[in-house]
Amino acid sequence: MSKGTRGSGARSRAAEAPTDADSSPADSRADRLRLRAAWMYFIEQMTQNDIAEVLGVGRVTVVRMLAEARARNEVKIAIEGELSGIVRQERAIERKFGVQRAIVAPLSAEGADPIPAIGAATGSYLSEAMRSDMSVGVGWGRTLFGTLPYISARPLSDFRVISLLGGVGVARRTNPAEFAWRFAQAFQGDGYLIPAPAVVDSIDTKRALIERCGLSEIFALADSLDAVLVSVGDIASASTFYRGGFLTEAERQKLAAKGAVGDLLFHFFDRDGNLVDHPINDLVMSVDVDRIRRAPLRILTSGGTDKIDALLGAMKLVNPTVLITDEHSARRMIEAP
């Protein structure tokens, strides 16, 4: 396909292309960048200079990627195959929500568990994005824990990982401390944990732990984070209130009645990205949302049909710079009013 092929012809072939469950976008960052460059050049008719600016590479690199895409016969596959839908979703997410980078993971069926696919995509991204001399604040949950097998471990100098949430009483794989520690180990960095429960019984207890028990130094690290990595939980499913047993069903129903659609680090928010009026938001031993929003790189990774409202609220609450989700969640987010 040449650059001169434009308009309805390209759209028609993309629409008529069969969907192949075995097709998937390339896993490596280099392949992803090359295919994105081909999409922007051949379909969106962007100039090579504009593509270089969007992807953060030099124009010579763009020329090389386009030549390689043609040599590999990837231009036809990227435009006419299933991959075109994935790339289109990524671009639509970036435009609609103003994120710098959207990564959409393919998923075999809408009802399939999205965590393995999202975890693989997130792990691949983190392998490339993490750098020496970085301070990274991390959340917790099944999605984040699912990234660990897909992270390419390598030593980074002066790499610091700060857990953004206190621990849970029951030993689980998804304990905030467990993920933060293993993430730090992947890059041979230092891990900083909050040695306190995720939720305390009163504001006085929270203040005492921070001011009198040495936690103020850990919380102060959150003032200069280079990146944050978080996921969201939804209010409707058991995952939100069952984790650690901090919420009763009655409390969950009260939160839902106030408009809560999900939580981020046990901060419950509505679909407009506002924290709901509930005492638990003041009793959480976690870094406050304002500090999270100040990090230059804010990575939100989550998905699932039950998390669409939570994702939409989190987009406003955190204003992520990078969103990683699955293709079915991406479609619903794009279609949402």
Side-chain angles (χ1 to χ4, degrees), residues 235-238 240-242 245-257 278:
I235 193 67
S237 75
T240 296
F241 62 91
Y242 179 77
F246 293 114
L247 282 181
T248 65
E249 173 61 16
E251 289 173 323
R252 186 197 69 83
Q253 291 182 5
K254 289 181 180 179
L255 283 163
H278 192 278

Side-chain angles (χ1 to χ4, degrees), residues 13-137:
R13 280 188 290 276
E16 295 172 1
T19 56
D20 183 357
D22 294 331
S23 299
S24 63
D27 292 329
S28 72
R29 181 174 181 272
D31 289 345
R32 177 181 289 274
L33 284 177
R34 184 176 64 251
L35 294 172
R36 283 169 62 87
W39 175 273
M40 294 177 187
Y41 188 74
F42 290 101
I43 292 298
E44 299 191 55
Q45 302 294 302
M46 294 174 60
T47 67
Q48 294 173 354
N49 286 335
D50 289 339
I51 295 170
E53 182 176 355
V54 171
L55 297 182
V57 299
R59 181 179 177 277
V60 174
T61 301
V62 173
V63 174
R64 177 182 57 76
M65 288 192 295
L66 293 175
E68 186 177 357
R70 287 192 291 268
R72 290 169 174 253
N73 292 321
E74 287 175 336
V75 171
K76 179 178 180 180
I77 295 173
I79 303 303
E80 298 184 355
E82 183 184 21
L83 177 58
S84 63
I86 297 292
V87 178
R88 187 183 298 112
Q89 284 183 331
E90 291 176 342
R91 298 288 289 163
I93 288 285
E94 290 166 358
R95 287 192 295 267
K96 179 173 182 176
F97 296 100
V99 297
Q100 295 176 10
R101 175 82 182 276
I103 300 175
V104 176
L107 195 61
S108 58
E110 189 164 7
D113 183 5
I115 289 180
I118 297 174
T122 305
S124 177
Y125 172 78
L126 293 172
S127 299
E128 299 288 341
M130 297 298 99
R131 297 285 187 269
S132 296
D133 301 315
M134 284 188 74
S135 293
V136 184

